[in-house]
Every structure is written in structure tokens, then in C-alpha cells.
């Protein structure tokens, strides 16, 4: 089928089905879209093309931007030592452990092993945040430390993805120079743009953010880096401002969830091969266990150093073992750039999805802190 | 006997029926009635925005429903308060009942249906099984 509108209708129909499934099951829309994408890719012959890739890519960029913009600077500043230590070790140990296992035991090539390390080093801020809300821990000191640590882990993941595969050439120099110029003036400039031109029918402030994301993402990709790197940094740059501008966040979220992110998550699912999943189920489970174990090695001792109670330490460790967004973004980056095969992509994304589910269930069932 | 009554409420016809019973009991026993709406946060969500969006939508939806329920209860001179809390409905009801020493939990038998009921389990069953205070289940009639 070559008809653009019918292809778009097919994708949107699957997005609608995903929303219905999410409503019926109580699962998140993103997980439902990945699941429907798996069915689409394996049974319905769903395929991507250049404009689907563009919409999906924009979805991942806006998701990353919003993830950066969600960071509460006050949370980061308070208890910085604890959250930085936990967050950094939560990135470092899984990255190093999974990389070493993939490279030396599974004999994937160096770049593919790096993708595996990055994909499984992530922590899902959203999964952690949902659990925090349900337990009321988001208002507690422990909750704030865990959330801030998640942001540090995500930053480590995004930096690794943006740096490890980049070409250190003139484009990279140009990209770094532009970022160095833009980031310091970004908070003030964004406030000014929203104050002077915001809340008009032309939606200029949204166009302004999209321009920044596309332009800096374009520069990053010219240096063979990943467009999500500047997106996260831009998000961080306007984080405090975005917390005050809730309506702006809502409008960007509405645009992203209706037209961009469905393409991203459906696409992330469509490349998962069910036959590869079944063939590699052992490796997938092993990866999941490895992620939880390496997170344990990195995070649990630091919770002891910072005098968390045993139960809280285990709870924190398990929550830091969750992952979804950046895990799938890293894996898709690897697949799109020919670094990993579809078989390897299936292994990584399946392990990433399981890591969103399994540690959460274990933490909620066995280690929920008693004082909430 | 029932100084404090806790009602699980979602605005469905079944929970409306439970509200009628809870109001009647509160009137007879001169009880304080607390009406609680639980917001189910999507499981394993991928972005905080999805969670915040769900919370915003649900709060806006339940605000009107709870105001109407409160108005109905106050018509009978009942001392009533309302809450909207994120989490699993059964866990919320049991947690509040235990922490704040409620004497009775009232909940409708039917609410969620289909797959969600299968995945999350029956709320009334969970409350009956694990709550440490008396529980009144308002069952739907055959025609409901």
C-alpha cells in the first residue's frame, strides 16, 4: 500500500486500539502501543516509511524533552550528594556489567554491546513516579532522593548514547559550541518568548520549542550523535520554568500523545520479532536478572551508606531497576543505525519491557515501606 | 456503633446505590461519612506526563461527582467529607480505614468489568478479605 493517507489511517487505527486496550486493562498507553505494535509487525505486515520514521523520531525527541523538563531543580538540589551517588552508580554498574557480559560472553561486537549496556542501565522515572504517588512516598525525603537519582541515571544514559557513538569531528565541535551558547540563555529566552508571544492562536511558543529540538537535534545527528541528547538537555534547561507553566506542558503533551508518540511506540513494538523472542527467552530473562543484580550491586550499598532502612534500601534498589523510555530509545537507535540486528533488538526491548514490570511487582509486593 | 463510615465511590449506578445505603446508615447512627474516589494510575507508564495527565483528568471528573454525592448526603444533615486519592481502590479503602479507625467500609459489588476486573481483581472481594473492620457490600440486583 502506497497511499499516504491510508497508511496514516492504519497507524492511527492501531493507536486507537491501543488506547482502548489501555483503558480496558489499566495498562499505560505506551505499553499498550508497544504490544499492539508487536502484533502489527508480526501478524499485520505493519511497516515503516520515511515519514513514519520522522513522526516516531519526533515522538522520542518530545518524550525525552518532557522527561528533562519534568526534573524539579529543587528536588535535585536538596540531597544532591545522596541522589547523585545513587543515580550515578545505578547507571554505571548495569552499564558496565551488561556491556561486559554482552561483549565477552555473548560475543556481540563492541558497539552492539555498548547499546546493550546503555539500554539496560536505564531507570524509568515514570514507573518510579507512579509507585511513589500510590504509596505517598513522593512527598517524603526518601521519595525525593529516589526521583532525583532517577534523573541522574537518565542523564548518564542520554550522555552515553550521545557521546559513545558520536564522531568527534567539526560537526561535533560546532554542536558543542552551539549548545554552550544556547543552554545558558535558554531559561531566560524561553520565559521571554512565552511572556511576549505565548498563549496566542499562532502557538508560537510551541513552534519555538520544536524549532530548538529539531535544530539542535539536527546538529547532533550531523555529528552522528543522537537527537535525544540535546532534547534532554533543553528539557533540563527549562525544567524549573516548565513546572510553573503547567498549561504549556499540557498543550505539548496533547500534541505529542495524539500524533507523535503513538508512531514511536508502535514502531518500537513492530520490530520485536515473536520468533526471536521465543528463541531467545533464556537470554532475555538472563538480561533482566543481570539488570536487577547489577542495579543491586550499584544502588543497595549506597543506600546503606546513606542509612536507609533495609526495607527502604531494597525498595529503592528495585525501583531503580525499572526502565522503559530510554531503554527502548537506545535499542531503536541501535537498530536504526545498523548497530544491532532485529534479533538483538528483540532481546533488548523485551528485557527492557520486562524490567518495567517485574521489579515493580516485586517491590510493591514484598518491600513496600511500612510507614506509608 | 458506626461512628465513622467510609464509602468507596466512583459515580457508577452501583456506587450510587452504595451511597444511598451509606447515607441511610450515617443518618441512623449519626456517623461521620467519608466518600473516597480512587484514581487508577496506568500500570508501567512510560512518562510522568501520562501519569500527571491521568491524575488531572480524573480529578476534574471526580470533583463534580463528589460534589453531587456530598450534596445528597448533606441533605440528610450528615457530616460528610470527600477525598480523591491515587492508587488501587481496595488498598486505599483498607489503608484509610485502618489508619483513621473507621468502623465500617461500604462498597458496591460491581464497578469495573471485563479485563480490568480480571487484572486488578474484585475490589469488594479484596476489601472483605483483608479489611480489619466490618464491611458492607451493596450487591447489584438482577436487573442492574
Amino acid at each position: 500500500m502506497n497511499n499516504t493517507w491510508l497508511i496514516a489511517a492504519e497507524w492511527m487505527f492501531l493507536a486507537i486500539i491501543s488506547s482502548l486496550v489501555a483503558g480496558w486493562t489499566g495498562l499505560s498507553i505506551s505499553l499498550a502501543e508497544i504490544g499492539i505494535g508487536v502484533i502489527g509487525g508480526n501478524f499485520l505486515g505493519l511497516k515503516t516509511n520515511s515519514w513514519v520514521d520522522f513522526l516516531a523520531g519526533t515522538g522520542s525527541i518530545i518524550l525525552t524533552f518532557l522527561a528533562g523538563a519534568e526534573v524539579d531543580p529543587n528536588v535535585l538540589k536538596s540531597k544532591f550528594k545522596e541522589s547523585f551517588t545513587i543515580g550515578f552508580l545505578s547507571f554505571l554498574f548495569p552499564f558496565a556489567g551488561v556491556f561486559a557480559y554482552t561483549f565477552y560472553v555473548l560475543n556481540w561486537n563492541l558497539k552492539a554491546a555498548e547499546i546493550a549496556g546503555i539500554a539496560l542501565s536505564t531507570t524509568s522515572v515514570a514507573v518510579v513516579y507512579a509507585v511513589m504517588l500510590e504509596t505517598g512516598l513522593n512527598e517524603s525525603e526518601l521519595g525525593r532522593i529516589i526521583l532525583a537519582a532517577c534523573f541522574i541515571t537518565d542523564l548518564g544514559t542520554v550522555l552515553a548514547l550521545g557521546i559513545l557513538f558520536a564522531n568527534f569531528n567539526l560537526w561535533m565541535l560546532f554542536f558543542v559550541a552551539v549548545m554552550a551558547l544556547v543552554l545558558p540563555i535558554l531559561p531566560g529566552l524561553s520565559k521571554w518568548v512565552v511572556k511576549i508571544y505565548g498563549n496566542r492562536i499562532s502557538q508560537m511558543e510551541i513552534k519555538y520549542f520544536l524549532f530548538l529540538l529539531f535544530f539542535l537535534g539536527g546538529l547532533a545527528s550531523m555529528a552522528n550523535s543522537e537527537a535525544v541528547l540535546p532534547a534532554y538537555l533543553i528539557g533540563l534547561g527549562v525544567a524549573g520554568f516548565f513546572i510553573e507553566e503547567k498549561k504549556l506542558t499540557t498543550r505539548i503533551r496533547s500534541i505529542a500523545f495524539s500524533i507523535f508518540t503513538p508512531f514511536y511506540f508502535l514502531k518500537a513494538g513492530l520490530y520485536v520479532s515473536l520468533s526471536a523472542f521465543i528463541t531467545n527467552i533464556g537470554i532475555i530473562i538472563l538480561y533482566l536478572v543481570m539488570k536487577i543484580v547489577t542495579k543491586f550491586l550499584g544502588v543497595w550499598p549506597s543506600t546503606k551508606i546513606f542509612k536507609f532502612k533495609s526495607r527502604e534500601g531494597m525498595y529503592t534498589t528495585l525501583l531503580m531497576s525499572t526502565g522503559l523510555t530510554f531503554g527502548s530509545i537506545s535499542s531503536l537507535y541501535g537498530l536504526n543505525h545498523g548497530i544491532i540486528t532485529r534479533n538483538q533488538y528483540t532481546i533488548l526491548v523485551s528485557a527492557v519491557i520486562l524490567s518495567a514490570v517485574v521489579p515493580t511487582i516485586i517491590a510493591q509486593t514484598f518491600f513496600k515501606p511500612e510507614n506509608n | 456503633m458506626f461512628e465513622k463510615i467510609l464509602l468507596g465511590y466512583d459515580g457508577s449506578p452501583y456506587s450510587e446505590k452504595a451511597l444511598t445505603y451509606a447515607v441511610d446508615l450515617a443518618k441512623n447512627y449519626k456517623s461521620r461519612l467519608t466518600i473516597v474516589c480512587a484514581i487508577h494510575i496506568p500500570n508501567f507508564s512510560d512518562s510522568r506526563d501520562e501519569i500527571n495527565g491521568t491524575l488531572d483528568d480524573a480529578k476534574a471528573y471526580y470533583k463534580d461527582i463528589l460534589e453531587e454525592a456530598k450534596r445528597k448526603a448533606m441533605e440528610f444533615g450528615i457530616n460528610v467529607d470527600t477525598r480523591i486519592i491515587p492508587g488501587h481502590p481496595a488498598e486505599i479503602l483498607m489503608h484509610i480505614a485502618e489508619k483513621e479507625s473507621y468502623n465500617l467500609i461500604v462498597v458496591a459489588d460491581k464497578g469495573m468489568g471485563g479485563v480490568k476486573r480480571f487484572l486488578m481483581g474484585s475490589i469488594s472481594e479484596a476489601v472483605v478479605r483483608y479489611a480489619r473492620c466490618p464491611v458492607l457490600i451493596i450487591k447489584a440486583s438482577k436487573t442492574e
Side-chain angles (χ1 to χ4, degrees):
Chain A
M1 186 165 58
N2 292 319
N3 186 303
T4 302
W5 304 114
L6 289 179
I7 294 171
E10 182 187 20
W11 282 74
M12 268 301 140
F13 179 72
L14 293 177
I16 291 168
I17 297 291
S18 307
S19 302
L20 290 173
V21 169
W24 291 332
T25 58
L27 287 174
S28 69
I29 297 167
S30 42
L31 215 53
E33 283 171 348
I34 291 175
I36 295 293
V38 173
I39 294 170
N42 286 276
F43 301 109
L44 307 175
L46 190 68
K47 286 187 172 61
T48 65
N49 58 36
S50 57
W51 60 264
V52 166
D53 288 342
F54 166 74
L55 291 175
T58 307
S60 71
I61 289 171
I62 297 180
L63 267 178
T64 311
F65 167 72
L66 288 171
E70 286 166 348
V71 178
D72 187 341
N74 295 325
V75 172
L76 261 186
K77 280 176 200 162
S78 66
K79 300 281 176 186
F80 182 78
K81 194 171 64 178
E82 287 90 335
S83 46
F84 181 82
T85 309
I86 294 173
F88 178 67
L89 293 175
S90 151
F91 162 74
L92 186 66
F93 275 66
F95 173 74
V98 172
F99 166 79
Y101 173 78
T102 310
F103 186 65
Y104 293 110
V105 181
L106 294 183
N107 291 318
W108 292 15
N109 67 45
L110 181 72
K111 293 291 178 193
E114 285 173 355
I115 286 288
I118 293 170
L120 291 171
S121 67
T122 60
T123 289
S124 171
V125 179
V127 171
V128 174
Y129 180 61
V131 174
M132 294 280 157
L133 274 177
E134 289 190 351
T135 54
L137 280 171
N138 56 319
E139 301 294 335
S140 71
E141 191 173 79
L142 171 70
R144 285 168 186 270
I145 292 171
I146 296 174
L147 275 175
C150 293
F151 293 127
I152 301 291
T153 305
D154 275 354
L155 184 61
T157 305
V158 172
L159 284 175
L161 193 61
I163 292 169
L164 281 176
F165 302 95
N167 293 331
F168 291 91
N169 53 17
L170 278 177
W171 276 111
M172 176 52 89
L173 197 67
F174 185 52
F175 167 66
V176 172
V178 172
M179 285 302 287
L181 277 175
V182 169
L183 282 179
I185 62 166
L186 192 62
L189 181 66
S190 303
K191 271 185 194 171
W192 182 78
V193 168
V194 173
K195 189 180 172 190
I196 303 294
Y197 298 104
N199 299 307
R200 294 185 189 183
I201 195 69
S202 64
Q203 309 289 337
M204 204 188 100
E205 70 276 39
I206 295 179
K207 290 170 187 164
Y208 154 81
F209 282 114
L210 286 175
F211 163 74
L212 282 176
L213 293 172
F214 289 148
F215 176 62
L216 293 168
L219 289 185
S221 63
M222 289 302 284
N224 208 33
S225 182
E226 170 56 51
V228 296
L229 172 62
Y232 196 71
L233 296 177
I234 294 168
L236 281 177
V238 295
F241 167 63
F242 255 65
I243 287 171
E244 293 162 20
E245 289 287 338
K246 286 199 185 305
K247 279 188 181 170
L248 178 59
T249 314
T250 306
R251 279 155 55 212
I252 294 179
R253 181 205 297 154
S254 303
I255 294 168
F257 282 15
S258 55
I259 188 70
F260 295 119
T261 60
F263 282 89
Y264 169 70
F265 288 115
L266 286 169
K267 184 182 166 184
L270 97 87
Y271 287 127
V272 173
S273 156
L274 279 179
S275 58
F277 175 82
I278 292 163
T279 312
N280 295 293
I281 188 76
I283 298 177
I284 291 166
I285 292 170
L286 198 65
Y287 264 131
L288 174 67
V289 172
M290 185 166 282
K291 177 173 182 179
I292 295 173
V293 169
T294 50
K295 287 274 183 187
F296 182 86
L297 293 175
V299 176
W300 193 77
S302 46
T303 64
K304 289 281 121 191
I305 292 167
F306 294 117
K307 298 187 169 48
F308 284 36
K309 292 173 192 164
S310 283
R311 203 176 174 85
E312 289 175 348
M314 274 307 293
Y315 189 72
T316 305
T317 305
L318 283 164
L319 288 189
M320 297 292 290
S321 305
T322 59
L324 199 56
T325 314
F326 289 113
S328 63
I329 287 175
S330 317
S331 307
L332 202 51
Y333 172 86
L335 184 70
N336 287 340
H337 287 75
I339 299 168
I340 56 173
T341 62
R342 192 175 169 194
N343 202 39
Q344 292 167 331
Y345 174 83
T346 300
I347 293 170
L348 293 180
V349 166
S350 304
V352 165
I353 292 170
L354 283 175
S355 78
V357 178
V358 177
T360 314
I361 293 173
I362 298 172
Q364 288 284 66
T365 310
F366 300 109
F367 297 102
K368 197 187 278 186
E370 287 161 342
N371 59 344
N372 69 82
Chain B
M1 185 184 279
F2 300 126
E3 285 170 26
K4 291 169 81 178
I5 297 174
L6 185 63
L7 170 68
Y9 190 72
D10 64 4
S12 67
Y14 313 110
S15 68
E16 286 279 346
K17 194 174 170 183
L19 172 68
T20 312
Y21 278 83
V23 165
D24 195 50
L25 281 167
K27 193 174 75 178
N28 285 328
Y29 286 98
K30 295 185 174 41
S31 323
R32 175 174 184 79
L33 175 64
T34 299
I35 308 173
V36 175
C37 284
I39 303 174
H40 173 68
I41 297 173
N43 295 324
F44 320 118
S45 185
D46 200 48
S47 78
R48 277 179 75 176
D49 268 312
E50 184 181 343
I51 298 165
N52 289 332
T54 305
L55 286 178
D56 293 345
D57 291 350
K59 278 176 186 168
Y61 174 75
Y62 282 136
K63 188 169 168 273
D64 294 341
I65 284 176
L66 278 176
E67 272 175 16
E68 180 61 18
K70 188 175 181 178
R71 189 190 59 74
K72 281 181 188 169
M74 286 175 77
E75 278 176 8
F76 293 91
I78 291 164
N79 187 1
V80 59
D81 70 294
T82 59
R83 297 181 204 178
I84 304 173
I85 303 172
H88 191 287
E91 282 185 12
I92 288 169
L93 289 174
M94 290 183 287
H95 181 68
I96 296 176
E98 195 170 335
K99 198 174 173 191
E100 300 178 27
S101 307
Y102 277 80
N103 312 105
L104 177 69
I105 299 175
V106 181
V107 67
D109 181 38
K110 268 191 174 178
M112 288 185 307
V115 185
K116 194 184 262 183
R117 186 184 170 99
F118 173 75
L119 290 174
M120 289 179 67
S122 162
I123 291 158
S124 54
E125 273 175 35
V127 174
V128 166
R129 191 166 296 170
Y130 298 110
R132 292 181 186 170
C133 68
V135 177
L136 176 64
I137 307 288
I138 308 301
K139 292 186 76 78
S141 63
K142 269 188 180 174
T143 51
E144 284 174 315

